[in-house]
Amino acid sequence: YALHCYPAILDTIPQDTVPPIVFLDFTAMASNSHDVYMPVTFRSTQPIDSIYQPGVHLAIKNDTLWDELEAPLLVRAVETRPLTYKMDYDWDFGATYCITIDSASVYGMYGNWNKPLKTEFTVKKEEDYSNLYFNISGIADSLSVVVELLSSSDVPVGVKPVIDGVAEFLYLASGNYYARAFIDSNKNGEWDTGNIALNIQPEEVYYYPKKINVKKNWDIEQSWDLYSLPIDVQKPLDIKKNKPKLKRGEQRRQTS
C-alpha cells in the first residue's frame, strides 16, 4: 500500500529488493476466421481460482462502432483440463466480435492475475459452409443409431443421432470426410466396448464405404444402407491403419 501511495519511497529501496510481478498468462485461441458453431477457447498457465465476470466484455462491430453485448460466462472447456476455458455464444455469420478481459479479472491458484486481454475475430459467412445429410436404411426403426463424421485421420469431428432415418451435419468446412455408425444399444450417445464379465458385446459399428468430398456452399445427401456391404469390407482403405501391401504394379482402389 505504501509503495502505491508514496512512489518516492521506491527511490530509497534497492531495485533488486523489489520482486517483479509475475502475471498469469491467459490467452485467447480465436483465429481471424472463426467457425460459427465453435466457442472461443482460452488457455491459462496455471489452474484458475476465480473469474470476475464483470471484467469480461463482448462487443460486435457495427460499421465503425462497437455495440456492447452481454458476455457469456467463461467456463472450463473440459473438466479434466483445468487450464482450458471457453466462451460459448450464438455467433452471427460474417460478424466481427471483440472480447476484452480487464486486468486482474482472472485469478490463478497461486495468487497471480492476468494482464488486460483483447482479441478480435470474424465469423465465417454462411456461404463458406456446407451441409451433409445421411439417409440411413437397412436397420430396424426400433434401434437407436448414432453417426460419427470422421476426418482423414479417422478422428471424429462430429456426432449426430439418426432422427426419422436422417443424420444431419450442418455448417461443415470444405474437405474430405468419412463416416461410421453404431447401434447405440444403451442410448447414451457413445460407442461402448462391452463387458466380458457381464457377457455384453461391443456395440455394432458400420462404415460408410466411400470418401465424401464436401465443397463450399453445397448441400449433400447420401443414402446409406448399413448392410449393403459385409462389415469386414466397409471401412475405406484410406483410413485403415494397417493397409495391405500392394503387389508389384498394383494400384490402390480409390474410395471416392
Side-chain angles (χ1 to χ4, degrees):
Y1 173 81
L3 296 181
H4 288 289
C5 296
Y6 306 101
I9 296 178
L10 290 174
D11 297 333
T12 65
I13 301 176
Q15 291 301 307
D16 57 359
T17 64
V18 180
I21 297 176
V22 179
F23 288 98
L24 167 72
D25 189 7
F26 195 71
T27 308
M29 309 306 293
S31 63
N32 188 46
S33 183
H34 192 73
D35 280 312
V36 69
Y37 55 85
M38 292 293 291
V40 174
T41 58
F42 301 81
R43 290 182 183 169
S44 172
T45 52
Q46 62 181 254
I48 302 301
D49 178 69
S50 63
I51 296 177
Y52 180 64
Q53 187 61 33
V56 180
H57 310 278
L58 176 66
I60 186 171
K61 196 168 189 179
N62 185 4
D63 292 328
T64 58
L65 302 176
W66 291 96
D67 293 336
E68 191 79 14
L69 302 171
E70 183 177 353
L73 294 174
L74 282 176
V75 297
R76 189 178 298 176
V78 182
E79 284 301 317
T80 56
R81 296 171 61 187
L83 303 183
T84 305
Y85 280 69
K86 66 178 180 178
M87 176 186 286
D88 272 313
Y89 195 76
D90 188 12
W91 314 112
D92 291 337
F93 288 108
T96 298
Y97 293 89
C98 179
I99 298 174
T100 56
I101 301 179
D102 298 337
S103 176
S105 294
V106 181
Y107 270 81
M109 294 290 291
Y110 308 122
N112 307 109
W113 61 88
N114 67 297
K115 292 181 179 180
L117 180 150
K118 180 179 180 180
T119 183
E120 295 182 19
F121 59 94
T122 300
V123 178
K124 293 179 181 178
K125 298 178 180 178
E126 189 169 9
E127 55 266 30
D128 291 332
Y129 293 99
S130 299
N131 301 316
L132 173 61
Y133 305 91
F134 285 108
N135 297 312
I136 306 297
S137 62
I139 203 77
D141 293 337
S142 59
L143 295 177
S144 178
V145 181
V146 173
V147 176
E148 294 181 319
L149 197 64
L150 309 173
S151 69
S152 298
S153 302
D154 197 19
V155 176
V157 295
V159 180
K160 293 293 181 180
V162 175
I163 300 175
D164 295 330
V166 179
E168 59 178 33
F169 294 89
L170 307 181
Y171 309 132
L172 294 177
S174 58
N176 294 324
Y177 296 91
Y178 300 84
R180 67 178 168 231
F182 62 88
I183 307 300
D184 189 16
S185 301
N186 59 5
K187 298 183 180 181
N188 67 349
E190 300 177 354
W191 180 75
D192 294 295
T193 59
N195 189 310
I196 296 177
L198 299 177
N199 197 28
I200 298 176
Q201 296 293 322
E203 292 177 330
E204 297 177 31
V205 176
Y206 308 87
Y207 277 87
Y208 186 73
K210 297 180 181 180
K211 176 175 63 180
I212 306 155
N213 180 239
V214 174
K215 297 180 180 179
K216 186 177 178 180
N217 196 23
W218 200 265
D219 285 354
I220 301 174
E221 285 194 31
Q222 297 284 355
S223 296
W224 184 3
D225 183 345
L226 300 186
Y227 290 105
S228 62
L229 291 174
I231 292 178
D232 59 343
V233 298
Q234 289 182 0
K235 189 172 184 178
L237 186 62
D238 293 346
I239 57 175
K240 284 185 176 179
K241 293 181 172 59
N242 298 317
K243 296 180 174 61
K245 293 183 178 180
L246 295 175
K247 297 178 182 178
R248 182 175 297 178
E250 187 179 6
Q251 293 184 344
R252 296 198 185 280
R253 179 177 60 86
Q254 296 294 319
T255 58
S256 58

